[in-house]
PDB file of all heavy atoms in Angstrom:
ATOM      1  N   VAL J 297      87.105 116.317 114.185  1.00 93.00           N
ATOM      2  CA  VAL J 297      85.886 115.979 113.469  1.00 93.00           C
ATOM      3  C   VAL J 297      85.381 114.649 114.011  1.00 93.00           C
ATOM      4  O   VAL J 297      86.084 113.637 113.947  1.00 93.00           O
ATOM      5  CB  VAL J 297      86.128 115.878 111.948  1.00 93.00           C
ATOM      6  CG1 VAL J 297      84.805 115.650 111.217  1.00 93.00           C
ATOM      7  CG2 VAL J 297      86.811 117.131 111.426  1.00 93.00           C
ATOM      8  N   VAL J 298      84.162 114.640 114.543  1.00 92.00           N
ATOM      9  CA  VAL J 298      83.565 113.431 115.114  1.00 92.00           C
ATOM     10  C   VAL J 298      82.325 113.057 114.309  1.00 92.00           C
ATOM     11  O   VAL J 298      81.757 113.873 113.585  1.00 92.00           O
ATOM     12  CB  VAL J 298      83.190 113.632 116.600  1.00 92.00           C
ATOM     13  CG1 VAL J 298      84.429 113.909 117.432  1.00 92.00           C
ATOM     14  CG2 VAL J 298      82.173 114.759 116.763  1.00 92.00           C
ATOM     15  N   GLN J 299      81.921 111.802 114.446  1.00 87.00           N
ATOM     16  CA  GLN J 299      80.755 111.328 113.706  1.00 87.00           C
ATOM     17  C   GLN J 299      79.490 112.061 114.141  1.00 87.00           C
ATOM     18  O   GLN J 299      78.669 112.457 113.322  1.00 87.00           O
ATOM     19  CB  GLN J 299      80.588 109.823 113.929  1.00 87.00           C
ATOM     20  CG  GLN J 299      79.582 109.165 113.007  1.00 87.00           C
ATOM     21  CD  GLN J 299      80.132 108.981 111.610  1.00 87.00           C
ATOM     22  OE1 GLN J 299      81.333 109.015 111.411  1.00 87.00           O
ATOM     23  NE2 GLN J 299      79.256 108.804 110.641  1.00 87.00           N
ATOM     24  N   SER J 300      79.328 112.215 115.453  1.00 85.00           N
ATOM     25  CA  SER J 300      78.152 112.871 116.006  1.00 85.00           C
ATOM     26  C   SER J 300      78.536 113.536 117.316  1.00 85.00           C
ATOM     27  O   SER J 300      79.392 113.027 118.056  1.00 85.00           O
ATOM     28  CB  SER J 300      77.030 111.849 116.247  1.00 85.00           C
ATOM     29  OG  SER J 300      75.996 112.404 117.035  1.00 85.00           O
ATOM     30  N   LEU J 301      77.916 114.663 117.605  1.00 84.00           N
ATOM     31  CA  LEU J 301      78.203 115.364 118.853  1.00 84.00           C
ATOM     32  C   LEU J 301      77.336 114.868 120.003  1.00 84.00           C
ATOM     33  O   LEU J 301      77.477 115.333 121.127  1.00 84.00           O
ATOM     34  CB  LEU J 301      77.972 116.868 118.663  1.00 84.00           C
ATOM     35  CG  LEU J 301      78.913 117.557 117.675  1.00 84.00           C
ATOM     36  CD1 LEU J 301      78.485 119.006 117.457  1.00 84.00           C
ATOM     37  CD2 LEU J 301      80.351 117.503 118.173  1.00 84.00           C
ATOM     38  N   GLU J 302      76.450 113.897 119.724  1.00 82.00           N
ATOM     39  CA  GLU J 302      75.480 113.465 120.729  1.00 82.00           C
ATOM     40  C   GLU J 302      75.823 112.135 121.382  1.00 82.00           C
ATOM     41  O   GLU J 302      75.150 111.724 122.322  1.00 82.00           O
ATOM     42  CB  GLU J 302      74.089 113.365 120.083  1.00 82.00           C
ATOM     43  CG  GLU J 302      73.583 114.685 119.534  1.00 82.00           C
ATOM     44  CD  GLU J 302      72.244 114.554 118.842  1.00 82.00           C
ATOM     45  OE1 GLU J 302      71.761 113.408 118.709  1.00 82.00           O
ATOM     46  OE2 GLU J 302      71.685 115.583 118.449  1.00 82.00           O
ATOM     47  N   SER J 303      76.843 111.424 120.893  1.00 84.00           N
ATOM     48  CA  SER J 303      77.116 110.090 121.414  1.00 84.00           C
ATOM     49  C   SER J 303      78.073 110.130 122.598  1.00 84.00           C
ATOM     50  O   SER J 303      78.867 111.056 122.763  1.00 84.00           O
ATOM     51  CB  SER J 303      77.718 109.212 120.308  1.00 84.00           C
ATOM     52  OG  SER J 303      79.033 109.640 120.005  1.00 84.00           O
ATOM     53  N   SER J 304      77.986 109.096 123.431  1.00 86.00           N
ATOM     54  CA  SER J 304      78.916 108.958 124.554  1.00 86.00           C
ATOM     55  C   SER J 304      80.342 108.778 124.064  1.00 86.00           C
ATOM     56  O   SER J 304      81.303 109.218 124.703  1.00 86.00           O
ATOM     57  CB  SER J 304      78.501 107.773 125.425  1.00 86.00           C
ATOM     58  OG  SER J 304      77.194 107.950 125.950  1.00 86.00           O
ATOM     59  N   TRP J 305      80.484 108.095 122.917  1.00 87.00           N
ATOM     60  CA  TRP J 305      81.827 107.900 122.351  1.00 87.00           C
ATOM     61  C   TRP J 305      82.482 109.241 122.081  1.00 87.00           C
ATOM     62  O   TRP J 305      83.650 109.465 122.433  1.00 87.00           O
ATOM     63  CB  TRP J 305      81.732 107.107 121.051  1.00 87.00           C
ATOM     64  CG  TRP J 305      81.129 105.753 121.172  1.00 87.00           C
ATOM     65  CD1 TRP J 305      79.839 105.411 120.922  1.00 87.00           C
ATOM     66  CD2 TRP J 305      81.787 104.548 121.587  1.00 87.00           C
ATOM     67  NE1 TRP J 305      79.643 104.067 121.139  1.00 87.00           N
ATOM     68  CE2 TRP J 305      80.819 103.513 121.554  1.00 87.00           C
ATOM     69  CE3 TRP J 305      83.085 104.244 121.967  1.00 87.00           C
ATOM     70  CZ2 TRP J 305      81.120 102.201 121.882  1.00 87.00           C
ATOM     71  CZ3 TRP J 305      83.385 102.945 122.302  1.00 87.00           C
ATOM     72  CH2 TRP J 305      82.413 101.936 122.264  1.00 87.00           C
ATOM     73  N   SER J 306      81.748 110.152 121.430  1.00 90.00           N
ATOM     74  CA  SER J 306      82.309 111.452 121.084  1.00 90.00           C
ATOM     75  C   SER J 306      82.626 112.262 122.334  1.00 90.00           C
ATOM     76  O   SER J 306      83.607 113.014 122.361  1.00 90.00           O
ATOM     77  CB  SER J 306      81.337 112.223 120.189  1.00 90.00           C
ATOM     78  OG  SER J 306      81.163 111.558 118.957  1.00 90.00           O
ATOM     79  N   GLY J 307      81.805 112.120 123.371  1.00 91.00           N
ATOM     80  CA  GLY J 307      82.087 112.825 124.611  1.00 91.00           C
ATOM     81  C   GLY J 307      83.418 112.413 125.219  1.00 91.00           C
ATOM     82  O   GLY J 307      84.189 113.256 125.691  1.00 91.00           O
ATOM     83  N   ALA J 308      83.705 111.112 125.203  1.00 93.00           N
ATOM     84  CA  ALA J 308      84.978 110.637 125.739  1.00 93.00           C
ATOM     85  C   ALA J 308      86.147 111.125 124.889  1.00 93.00           C
ATOM     86  O   ALA J 308      87.200 111.525 125.412  1.00 93.00           O
ATOM     87  CB  ALA J 308      84.974 109.109 125.802  1.00 93.00           C
ATOM     88  N   VAL J 309      85.979 111.109 123.571  1.00 95.00           N
ATOM     89  CA  VAL J 309      87.032 111.594 122.672  1.00 95.00           C
ATOM     90  C   VAL J 309      87.292 113.074 122.910  1.00 95.00           C
ATOM     91  O   VAL J 309      88.447 113.512 123.015  1.00 95.00           O
ATOM     92  CB  VAL J 309      86.642 111.335 121.197  1.00 95.00           C
ATOM     93  CG1 VAL J 309      87.568 112.086 120.253  1.00 95.00           C
ATOM     94  CG2 VAL J 309      86.696 109.842 120.899  1.00 95.00           C
ATOM     95  N   LEU J 310      86.242 113.858 123.011  1.00 94.00           N
ATOM     96  CA  LEU J 310      86.394 115.294 123.231  1.00 94.00           C
ATOM     97  C   LEU J 310      87.106 115.574 124.539  1.00 94.00           C
ATOM     98  O   LEU J 310      87.968 116.464 124.615  1.00 94.00           O
ATOM     99  CB  LEU J 310      85.012 115.955 123.212  1.00 94.00           C
ATOM    100  CG  LEU J 310      84.978 117.467 123.423  1.00 94.00           C
ATOM    101  CD1 LEU J 310      85.826 118.170 122.375  1.00 94.00           C
ATOM    102  CD2 LEU J 310      83.543 117.974 123.374  1.00 94.00           C
ATOM    103  N   ARG J 311      86.790 114.812 125.576  1.00 94.00           N
ATOM    104  CA  ARG J 311      87.440 115.012 126.866  1.00 94.00           C
ATOM    105  C   ARG J 311      88.940 114.759 126.774  1.00 94.00           C
ATOM    106  O   ARG J 311      89.752 115.538 127.272  1.00 94.00           O
ATOM    107  CB  ARG J 311      86.814 114.091 127.915  1.00 94.00           C
ATOM    108  CG  ARG J 311      87.378 114.288 129.324  1.00 94.00           C
ATOM    109  CD  ARG J 311      86.604 113.500 130.359  1.00 94.00           C
ATOM    110  NE  ARG J 311      86.788 112.056 130.204  1.00 94.00           N
ATOM    111  CZ  ARG J 311      85.870 111.235 129.724  1.00 94.00           C
ATOM    112  NH1 ARG J 311      84.699 111.695 129.328  1.00 94.00           N
ATOM    113  NH2 ARG J 311      86.113 109.935 129.634  1.00 94.00           N
ATOM    114  N   GLY J 312      89.325 113.670 126.095  1.00 96.00           N
ATOM    115  CA  GLY J 312      90.744 113.359 125.960  1.00 96.00           C
ATOM    116  C   GLY J 312      91.490 114.381 125.137  1.00 96.00           C
ATOM    117  O   GLY J 312      92.604 114.795 125.493  1.00 96.00           O
ATOM    118  N   VAL J 313      90.890 114.819 124.027  1.00 96.00           N
ATOM    119  CA  VAL J 313      91.537 115.814 123.170  1.00 96.00           C
ATOM    120  C   VAL J 313      91.670 117.140 123.907  1.00 96.00           C
ATOM    121  O   VAL J 313      92.709 117.804 123.840  1.00 96.00           O
ATOM    122  CB  VAL J 313      90.738 116.000 121.864  1.00 96.00           C
ATOM    123  CG1 VAL J 313      91.236 117.216 121.085  1.00 96.00           C
ATOM    124  CG2 VAL J 313      90.843 114.757 120.998  1.00 96.00           C
TER     125      VAL J 313
END
Side-chain angles (χ1 to χ4, degrees):
V297 185
V298 297
Q299 191 76 19
S300 168
L301 295 174
E302 299 177 355
S303 70
S304 300
W305 300 97
S306 296
V309 168
L310 180 58
R311 183 172 68 253
V313 169

